[in-house]
Each structure stands twice: as structure tokens, then as C-alpha cells.
Amino acid sequence: MLLARITKTFFALIGALALGACSSITVSTDHAPIDFSGFKTYAWLHAGVTEENGKSNDIVDGKVKSIVDADLEDKRFAKVAKDSADFHVNYHITTQEKTDIKTYNTYGGYYPGYRSYGAYGPGRNYVYYDSRMAMPPIQEAVITEYVQGTLIIDILDPKTNKLIWRGTAGKHLDESATPEAREKVMKEVIGKLLAQYPPK
């Protein structure tokens, strides 16, 4: 027997990183087998970034770059002209609709029944009968639909324009977040990503 309660929660991309505070941030990085110790300066690869829907968002673009600049400055990297930088920085934002299904056992036991006694054989030895039947557990399925937001930060070799480091962070999107809350989460996400750069 399956009893299903379906909960549908829809999240939308506000600006670029309307990331929900209730979900954890998943971070992964990868890099080329090179020496990063000589890198001291950087520049942005593009003046602006276009979102996947083809529309630019200057507000979010400015916030992301400002947070990345501040983080790299804390790491003692200097922003310089594009043609003299040791490495270039770029970022992308993507979204993907996902479905999360969790099933729980909510009950297990016996169907209501009755008990009876009967006499059997010489001397009237009593035999016990139990008509109750085992009942399988009842399962409850909770289905949640949501949008997963992903921020990708790329580090490129300016001489070859090849990718030499990539950091990826994913989180559920929350359309109800205030601009202040979204910016706070942006800082958290970018901070966790760039904590892995330069690779050790």
C-alpha cells in the first residue's frame, strides 16, 4: 500500500544567485598539473557575462565580480590590464530543474482481528487461534521539485586561453530571498570556491 503526499516547491533564478539558505553548498574543483606559485596578477576575461537565457544582468555581474575581486585582493593578487595579467578570470551561472523523492515507512504492525479458543480431542485440551494478519508498512513519498543553481569560476592561461583551474558550487535557489540575503550567500559561495585557489 502506498500513501503519497506530494509537495511541489518551485524556485526561480532571481538575478543570478538567489540561493536558498536552508540547503548546503556543494563545492568541487579541478586544475591542470602546473605551478601556480608564480601567479601574482589577474584580469577579467570578459567585460560582462551573459546569462544562459541570453539576457545580461549587470547588477548581479557587478556583485559577483566585486566579491571575487575582494577575495583575490585578500589573497594578495593584483588586478591589472588584461594583456599583462598572469591569469584570467571568468564565471558562468547555470540552472537545472530537479526532482527529489524521499520515501518513508510510516506504519507497520497487524490488521485489527479477533482471538478465539476451541476445544480439541479427548480431555478437551484447548487450542488457541489468532486470526490477525500481518500488515505491510505504509510508505509515504514526499516529492519536491526545485531548481539547482550552479556557479562556475574559471581560471585561464592568458597565453593559450586554456582552462587551468575550475571551481564549481551548487545550491538550491530561493526566489523569496532579499537582495541582502542573496548577496550574503554569494559571498559564502564564492568564498568557499576561492578558498581552494590557488591549489596546494
Side-chain angles (χ1 to χ4, degrees), residues 24-25 31 39 60 73 78 91 94 97 120 128 135 146 155 165 172 182 185 188 191 194 198:
S24 60
I25 302 170
H31 63 88
F39 292 172
V60 173
E73 183 179 352
Y91 80 90
T94 65
E97 293 184 1
Y120 176 77
Y128 168 74
M135 185 175 72
Y146 63 95
I155 304 296
W165 185 92
H172 293 193
R182 294 198 299 271
V185 177
E188 182 182 4
L194 293 183

Side-chain angles (χ1 to χ4, degrees), residues 145-198:
E145 295 181 358
Y146 63 95
V147 174
Q148 178 82 357
T150 302
L151 171 67
I152 302 169
I153 295 180
D154 289 336
I155 304 296
L156 301 99
D157 184 339
K159 297 178 181 179
T160 63
N161 204 36
K162 289 186 177 181
L163 186 67
I164 56 176
W165 185 92
R166 168 168 284 184
T168 303
K171 191 174 176 66
H172 293 193
L173 305 184
D174 181 8
E175 65 175 353
S176 64
T178 64
E180 294 77 15
R182 294 198 299 271
E183 185 170 354
K184 180 180 179 181
V185 177
M186 285 182 194
K187 291 180 179 179
E188 182 182 4
V189 170
I190 293 171
K192 286 193 173 185
L193 275 180
L194 293 183
Q196 307 298 319
Y197 181 82

Side-chain angles (χ1 to χ4, degrees), residues 53-178:
N53 59 8
K55 298 180 180 179
S56 62
N57 189 319
D58 294 336
I59 295 176
V60 173
D61 182 64
K63 287 183 177 181
V64 170
K65 288 181 176 178
S66 177
I67 295 169
V68 171
D69 285 341
D71 195 292
L72 291 178
E73 183 179 352
D74 288 343
K75 295 176 180 292
R76 302 188 181 279
F77 292 109
K79 185 163 65 171
V80 298
K82 186 176 177 180
D83 58 356
S84 60
D86 294 329
F87 62 91
H88 289 165
V89 184
N90 197 30
Y91 80 90
H92 307 277
I93 293 169
T94 65
T95 59
Q96 182 181 11
E97 293 184 1
K98 291 192 174 185
T99 301
D100 181 43
I101 303 176
K102 294 182 179 179
T103 304
Y104 305 91
N105 290 333
T106 58
Y107 182 83
Y110 296 89
Y111 289 115
Y114 64 91
R115 298 178 181 180
S116 62
Y117 296 86
Y120 176 77
R124 302 178 63 84
N125 296 321
Y126 284 89
V127 179
Y128 168 74
Y129 299 92
D130 191 340
S131 63
R132 293 182 302 167
M133 298 177 61
M135 185 175 72
I138 298 175
Q139 293 183 326
E140 180 179 5
V142 178
I143 303 175
T144 304
E145 295 181 358
Y146 63 95
V147 174
Q148 178 82 357
T150 302
L151 171 67
I152 302 169
I153 295 180
D154 289 336
I155 304 296
L156 301 99
D157 184 339
K159 297 178 181 179
T160 63
N161 204 36
K162 289 186 177 181
L163 186 67
I164 56 176
W165 185 92
R166 168 168 284 184
T168 303
K171 191 174 176 66
H172 293 193
L173 305 184
D174 181 8
E175 65 175 353
S176 64
T178 64

